[in-house]
Amino acid sequence: MRDGRYLAWEYSPIWMDKSTDVQGQSLIANARFGSNEELLRQTGSGFQHRFPAGQIAKFRDDMPEKYQNTHRILNMTAFVGYLLTGNSDFPWDQGDAVPSHLVDIKTRNWLSNLNEIIPGVEAKLPEVMSTNRIVAPIAPYWKKYGLSQDVQIANGTGDNPADLVGLGLLEKNRVAVSLGTSFTLFQYISNLADLDRALEMGQVGNLMGSPDGKWMKLICCQNGGLALEALRDK
């Protein structure tokens, strides 16, 4: 990786990035959506700067040659899976794929004809897969660290979907509040009727995938920790 043979671009934006305004306006105006409300209805969220659709579109706009030379686009969870297995087709899990503006909120699979949204992107994405699936055996490389070749690598998920499971929220009427760097509030959505009700509320947080193949709702305050520190100091 250090010699540049594997990474099309050596940097990755972080979740606080806000540089995708132009791409966001283009996404909202896309014939597939036509409005922020329709984007929310189809994907579970109105435009978010940090979501993959805007970030991938910005990469394509700013570095077209590097974008053209990109074989696979992996989110961080899939990238870790790639490092462990050597399989560049390692899937995006539903928990992290849904908040991308590229996935149908109800089916939790890629929207049809993604190339209408970002030209050329469809061939660069692996499949979306639920979190409870074994993907591939561990790569032979890891034998040097004493890991058995019998080890199997399952699909992973992101921090918020993992929190949903780890805190025991996979039932109705339980809500978690996290007071970390960002402040978050999230809960489980187990059926389409509740999902429809959440969609009808409009842009109140984001609807995401849950590791068990259902959904979760998350409200994130980006600078919660900084606000709390300022209040404390005052």
Side-chain angles (χ1 to χ4, degrees):
M1 288 186 180
R2 290 194 186 97
D3 64 13
R5 286 186 297 147
Y6 293 99
L7 299 179
W9 184 33
E10 60 271 34
Y11 299 106
S12 176
I14 66 167
W15 69 275
M16 296 177 76
D17 181 75
K18 290 281 190 180
S19 66
T20 55
D21 275 329
V22 171
Q23 289 74 26
Q25 293 306 312
S26 176
L27 181 67
I28 291 168
N30 187 278
R32 180 67 183 257
F33 307 113
S35 70
N36 207 36
E37 291 73 21
E38 182 62 18
L39 177 65
L40 184 150
R41 191 188 71 78
Q42 290 192 38
T43 70
S45 297
F47 178 69
Q48 301 291 318
H49 292 85
R50 64 192 184 277
F51 279 13
Q55 296 290 343
I56 294 169
K58 187 173 190 299
F59 176 44
R60 178 181 178 273
D61 292 346
D62 292 355
M63 290 170 273
E65 186 175 347
K66 289 186 176 182
Y67 176 79
Q68 184 67 31
N69 291 334
T70 298
H71 170 64
R72 278 284 174 267
I73 296 174
L74 302 176
N75 62 17
M76 283 307 301
T77 307
F79 184 67
V80 171
Y82 165 47
L83 293 181
L84 290 172
T85 63
N87 177 12
S88 65
D89 291 326
F90 204 93
W92 289 33
D93 88 286
Q94 293 178 347
D96 267 353
V98 171
S100 67
H101 298 316
L102 299 173
V103 167
D104 185 303
I105 183 64
K106 294 191 173 179
T107 67
R108 298 173 302 276
N109 286 313
W110 300 120
L111 291 164
S112 61
N113 200 359
L114 289 177
N115 291 335
E116 292 177 355
I117 302 171
I118 306 172
V121 75
E122 209 163 325
K124 301 179 186 298
L125 293 169
E127 67 176 307
V128 177
M129 184 183 289
S130 62
T131 310
N132 59 351
R133 296 270 297 278
I134 297 295
V135 177
I138 197 165
Y141 171 86
W142 296 101
K143 282 195 295 188
K144 66 189 286 187
Y145 296 103
L147 288 169
S148 167
Q149 290 301 285
D150 294 330
V151 171
Q152 299 291 311
I153 305 301
N155 203 9
T157 193
D159 53 350
N160 292 306
D163 287 343
L164 187 80
V165 176
L167 291 171
L169 300 186
L170 297 188
E171 56 185 85
K172 268 197 165 186
N173 302 322
R174 302 199 72 188
V175 176
V177 177
S178 169
L179 304 179
T181 306
S182 59
F183 284 4
T184 59
L185 182 149
F186 52 97
Q187 70 179 129
Y188 182 56
I189 297 175
S190 63
N191 57 72
L192 282 170
D194 286 344
L195 178 67
D196 284 337
R197 279 192 284 273
L199 287 168
E200 288 167 6
M201 293 177 66
Q203 187 64 57
V204 182
N206 302 300
L207 291 166
M208 305 169 64
S210 167
D212 69 340
K214 302 297 184 181
W215 302 271
M216 66 181 288
K217 181 158 192 169
L218 179 137
I219 298 172
C220 178
C221 303
Q222 211 166 347
N223 294 315
L226 293 175
L228 186 61
E229 288 175 11
L231 184 63
R232 177 201 63 193
D233 294 343
K234 186 175 180 179

